[in-house]
Amino acid sequence: MGEVYFYHLTRSPLEVALSRLLTRALAAGWRVAVRSRDAGRLAWLDERLWLVSGDGFLPHGIEGGPQDADQPVLLTAGAHLPPGVACLMSVDGAAIAPVEAAGLQRVCILFDGADPGALTLARQQWRDVTAAGLGAQYWSEDGGRWEKKQEKAAAPV
């Protein structure tokens, strides 16, 4: 059963935090889908991910290309998960269904701490996934580094 990690962005821009999380997910051997509600935002992220990876290489593509099945990181605005995905990262308030999260290794929800609407949505997503019995962790950048602020264990099976 997957766990859902909430990342409250207060210092790092989305593209920097996302790049770091994607690097860790790939190191774990996971295929990742990054879901947004906006295809235009995905094009923006596509450009930024090539720039912020520094001296590393972060292989990725936008869903709809001929190499989708080969992409270790697939940027998508779709509601369905591409085959073989072990980790789903939600940005810009993209929907995550608890039943979907339960079948994954990890779900990461990244949200802008300066956006009241994003905070409200993240709180609702927390309630939804914990009510479904999934484990959840809340991480914040308050002190300049990521700190776990809250954790709710998965319900016993």
Side-chain angles (χ1 to χ4, degrees), residues 27-48:
W30 296 339
R31 183 164 190 238
V32 183
V34 176
R35 182 183 289 163
S36 176
R37 298 183 296 176
D38 180 2
R41 177 72 155 172
L42 291 175
W44 180 86
L45 273 173
D46 177 45
E47 289 179 14
R48 296 311 179 278

Side-chain angles (χ1 to χ4, degrees), residues 133-152:
L134 298 172
Q137 294 183 11
Y138 166 66
W139 293 80
S140 179
E141 297 179 287
D142 290 339
R145 61 182 177 83
W146 288 107
E147 297 176 26
K148 185 172 24 173
K149 299 288 190 169
Q150 186 172 359
E151 181 172 11
K152 179 150 184 172

Side-chain angles (χ1 to χ4, degrees), residues 13 24 28-29 43 47 58 60 79 81 92 105 109 121 128 131-132 150:
R24 289 181 182 167
E47 289 179 14
L58 187 60
H60 69 279
L81 283 176
D92 304 324
Q105 293 288 321
I109 297 174
L121 179 57
D128 292 344
Q150 186 172 359

